[in-house]
Amino acid sequence: MARKDRENGSEQEKKGGFLTVFIVMLIIIIWIAIFALLINLDVGGIGTTLRPMLKDIPLVNKILPAVSDDELAGENNLAYKDIVEANQRIKELEILVDKLTIEGEDKDDEIAALTAQVNRLKELEKQGETLTRLAIEDFIADLTAEYYNYIQQEIRLKNFRYAMSLSKERLRIVEERYIVGNFSRLDLQQARVDYNADRAQYMKQQESVKTSRIRLNELMANDDMSQDITVNDSIIDLNTLLSFDELWQSTLSNNASLLKTEQDKKLAALQMKTVKSRNYPYLRLNAGYGYTLNKYEISANSRRDNLGLNFGVTMGFNLFDGNRRREIKNARIAIENAQLEQDDMRQTLKADLSNLWQAYQNNIEMLKLERENLIAAVENHEIASERYMLGNLSGIEMREAQKSLLDAEERILKAEYDTKMCEISLLQLSGKVTKYLE
């Protein structure tokens, strides 16, 4: 019996222990629920205080008090407050991308146009250099021609001075013989008239020399137009070894006017290329490099980032352009006109070169002939002078011999100058006129 009572007491103690544990657990759960409710209701700000510590603990963060989207975005360092704002921003970015794509296509056309314009400006720059060279060559030709004109005027002045000295000597002889009665007063007056005529011609030639000197000072940009000029040449130096074939080949490769027509042709071809370029298909390559970062409130990983490369290819062509056909037609006509102008310039240059070459050769032959005539004129004047001194020649005949000598010297001077002018023009056409600067 006693044993049975002890067993019953032991069972009651166990039941009492379980009941005590249950009651304690129930009390703890109730207190936890109360504490969770206090946190959720944010009584006394306890929920707000504990939120930074509990917000990242799964399940536990469910009891935290609700917060606004602004506060949530601030806690997670998010750029946008809510999904509505994020979607709105996405739409704005899509519109911006479309706009930039359209602008990019426009920029491609603009870049193509600017590239063509750059090429055209480069050709225009070359053409400007050619025009500058043409102006320089014209200036060198003018300066060289005036230089040899000045030499010509100086030589002519020397010839007139010599003629005046002959007339003065003749007047002296006539005066002496008039005193002794060998010559009549008519002979004396005729000798004086001839001497005064030669003096007047000499004075007139002095004016021509000064005019040429002023022109040279003007070309050389001297402030003093009357400044004396000393030249190294006392004769007109001629180059009689020019070759027509060499001049023509040099003209085809170096003539500034012909080069200008070639540049005009290239400009027209560039314009045609610019117009036709809009018919060609185009290929665009694009590439991108992006970085994406995502944050999650509830997940095994609170954040995820992505780093990647993307690229693409776009191909297309223009189906219709209303002005293209007309522009191509105009560009083709411009090319044809440029070709015709080049052919016409080539023919004109060949004709000018042929005419100058003919004049050049003819002047050289005339120069040879006039040099022979000058020898004869000098000998004739010497014979006439001896006969005049002996009284076997009249004053009129003496004057005629003197005039023949002066005319022969004038003709040979003119032949030399004309030959030199042909030489300068030939070298100018062939693009070699700058050799006079050497």
Side-chain angles (χ1 to χ4, degrees), residues 141-154:
D142 291 341
L143 181 61
T144 306
E146 190 58 42
Y147 173 79
Y148 284 103
N149 178 55
Y150 181 74
I151 294 176
Q152 175 192 219
Q153 300 300 334
E154 287 282 4

Side-chain angles (χ1 to χ4, degrees), residues 135-365:
I136 292 174
E137 289 181 352
D138 288 340
F139 173 76
I140 293 174
D142 291 341
L143 181 61
T144 306
E146 190 58 42
Y147 173 79
Y148 284 103
N149 178 55
Y150 181 74
I151 294 176
Q152 175 192 219
Q153 300 300 334
E154 287 282 4
I155 295 174
R156 185 174 287 119
L157 182 65
K158 186 186 299 183
N159 292 339
F160 287 157
R161 186 185 299 114
Y162 177 67
M164 187 178 65
S165 66
L166 292 178
S167 297
K168 185 176 181 180
E169 178 63 19
R170 177 188 163 206
L171 178 59
R172 184 188 67 78
I173 295 172
V174 172
E175 287 178 343
E176 290 180 354
R177 291 191 176 184
Y178 174 74
I179 293 174
V180 300
N182 289 338
F183 280 166
S184 65
R185 186 171 180 80
L186 177 61
D187 294 328
L188 177 61
Q189 294 299 332
Q190 184 63 46
R192 185 173 285 113
V193 168
D194 293 339
Y195 171 67
N196 289 335
D198 289 341
R199 283 185 62 192
Q201 198 170 24
Y202 177 76
M203 293 173 64
K204 187 67 176 178
Q205 183 58 31
Q206 285 180 320
E207 179 182 348
S208 299
V209 171
K210 291 179 180 179
T211 301
S212 179
R213 183 189 302 135
I214 291 173
R215 175 59 178 162
L216 270 179
N217 283 317
E218 178 186 3
L219 291 174
M220 293 186 296
N222 290 332
D223 294 333
D224 185 5
M225 293 298 174
S226 300
Q227 179 179 343
D228 291 335
I229 296 177
T230 303
V231 296
N232 296 326
D233 299 312
S234 59
I235 61 172
I236 298 177
D237 185 23
L238 301 176
N239 182 6
T240 60
L241 302 178
L242 297 179
S243 169
F244 180 82
D245 292 335
E246 292 180 1
L247 289 172
W248 175 239
Q249 292 301 321
S250 180
T251 300
L252 292 178
S253 58
N254 297 322
N255 181 267
S257 298
L258 191 59
L259 290 176
K260 181 179 177 298
T261 60
E262 178 66 24
Q263 290 161 354
D264 289 337
K265 185 179 176 182
K266 288 182 179 179
L267 287 173
L270 284 173
Q271 182 63 25
M272 171 66 82
K273 186 177 180 180
T274 301
V275 175
K276 283 188 173 181
S277 65
R278 288 182 285 176
N279 294 335
Y280 302 150
Y282 57 86
L283 181 66
R284 298 191 183 101
L285 301 177
N286 54 79
Y289 185 79
Y291 173 75
T292 304
L293 174 65
N294 297 321
K295 290 186 177 181
Y296 307 95
E297 294 184 6
I298 302 175
S299 176
N301 297 320
S302 61
R303 54 187 292 171
R304 178 179 298 174
D305 56 359
N306 183 24
L307 189 65
L309 175 68
N310 62 82
F311 63 91
V313 179
T314 303
M315 184 176 182
F317 62 91
N318 294 325
L319 293 176
F320 176 75
D321 187 346
N323 295 326
R324 189 184 310 164
R325 182 177 299 177
R326 177 177 57 82
E327 292 179 356
I328 290 177
K329 184 177 180 180
N330 292 339
R332 186 177 293 111
I333 292 174
I335 292 176
E336 293 175 355
N337 289 338
Q339 182 63 50
L340 291 175
E341 290 178 1
Q342 186 179 28
D343 295 340
D344 181 67
M345 178 60 69
R346 187 180 291 109
Q347 287 296 106
T348 301
L349 289 174
K350 191 168 186 179
D352 292 343
L353 190 69
S354 298
N355 289 332
L356 287 170
W357 179 255
Q358 183 64 34
Y360 172 75
Q361 288 186 313
N362 188 55
N363 285 325
I364 290 177
E365 294 299 322

Side-chain angles (χ1 to χ4, degrees), residues 360-425:
Y360 172 75
Q361 288 186 313
N362 188 55
N363 285 325
I364 290 177
E365 294 299 322
M366 288 180 60
L367 184 58
K368 293 179 181 179
L369 179 61
E370 293 301 335
R371 284 173 177 169
E372 294 177 359
N373 288 337
L374 180 61
I375 295 174
V378 171
E379 185 178 356
N380 180 60
H381 183 266
E382 290 176 352
I383 295 173
S385 297
E386 292 177 359
R387 292 183 60 187
Y388 185 74
M389 295 294 293
L390 297 174
N392 296 328
L393 193 68
S394 65
I396 295 176
E397 291 174 328
M398 181 59 194
R399 179 64 177 179
E400 188 64 28
Q402 181 182 346
K403 188 175 183 301
S404 297
L405 176 60
L406 186 61
D407 290 343
E409 290 175 341
E410 178 63 25
R411 287 195 304 270
I412 195 172
L413 179 60
K414 187 176 185 304
E416 288 176 344
Y417 181 74
D418 290 344
T419 305
K420 194 64 181 182
M421 292 302 100
C422 291
E423 175 191 326
I424 293 172
S425 298

